[in-house]
Amino acid sequence: TEPVLDSKNIPIVLRTPGVIRLRNLFKEKPAIIVSAGPSIEKNLHLLKEAKGKAIIIAVDVVVPTLLPAGIMPDFIVALEASRKLFHAFENNPLLRFCPLVCTPEVDYETITSLYPGPVFLNPTFQHPVLKWFHNFWESKGFIAGRGGSVSHMAFAFAEYIGANVIALMGQDLCFREKLHAGNVTPLFYSETDV
């Protein structure tokens, strides 16, 4: 099925800069994709050591685990359309320095009210409305995320910004007893969902 584009988001989508502004910005630099698997808890010290040496690209749901540990990602990637997602960003003034890369499926009304930092749009699908509006905006670029998860999108983003080595952390997202690192799971899922 075709992804939904809320008509209230159209003016914001038109004004939001695209990922094309980030293309090859970090050419030949290493990057680390940080997902929210439980193993990230025991590897946070490695991320602290990597800060400034590699571009840290965090998936949306790992942010509430990284910030209290003193780790500010260089980018956050969001793919989900759920409003629950942005509870992770609410009241986090530190994020005003961290760009968010997201798709038109994300709830843009929520982004503009809750996310304090810069936002870059990745128009990942060819929605008929976006095709029609394409003539009215600057080229936004396009990152083809292979696979369906935010981790896939983060990896494709690392390639897009020119990373020459890409490391993966926190990819162990298959344990029923603990889906995510930290205490973020209840933020997104009820007990009946798990």
Side-chain angles (χ1 to χ4, degrees), residues 57-83:
I57 303 169
V59 303
D60 42 24
V61 297
V62 78
V63 172
T65 302
L66 296 182
L67 293 181
I71 300 165
M72 176 60 67
D74 296 297
F75 293 95
I76 298 170
V77 177
L79 188 62
E80 303 284 331
S82 171
R83 279 181 180 256

Side-chain angles (χ1 to χ4, degrees), residues 36-116:
S39 67
I40 199 67
E41 292 172 357
K42 61 184 172 190
N43 294 317
L44 287 172
H45 68 284
L46 297 172
L47 276 177
K48 285 183 180 179
E49 293 172 20
K51 185 68 179 167
K53 298 174 189 167
I55 306 304
I56 297 176
I57 303 169
V59 303
D60 42 24
V61 297
V62 78
V63 172
T65 302
L66 296 182
L67 293 181
I71 300 165
M72 176 60 67
D74 296 297
F75 293 95
I76 298 170
V77 177
L79 188 62
E80 303 284 331
S82 171
R83 279 181 180 256
K84 291 179 185 179
L85 168 73
F86 289 94
H87 291 301
F89 305 143
E90 202 168 14
N91 300 319
N92 271 316
L94 292 175
L95 294 176
R96 70 181 182 270
F97 303 113
C98 184
L100 174 71
V101 176
C102 60
T103 67
E105 296 148 295
V106 169
D107 185 331
Y108 268 64
E109 189 175 26
T110 304
I111 287 174
T112 58
S113 64
L114 293 182
Y115 195 79

Side-chain angles (χ1 to χ4, degrees), residues 118-163:
V119 177
F120 292 90
L121 177 69
N122 179 32
T124 56
F125 59 82
Q126 296 301 310
H127 193 282
V129 174
L130 292 183
K131 283 183 182 179
W132 187 82
F133 274 114
H134 181 72
N135 297 324
F136 301 101
W137 64 33
E138 66 178 12
S139 175
K140 293 195 182 287
F142 172 71
I143 302 170
R146 298 167 291 280
S149 78
V150 67
S151 295
H152 288 103
M153 181 56 69
F155 188 89
F157 175 68
E159 291 178 315
Y160 190 81
I161 63 172

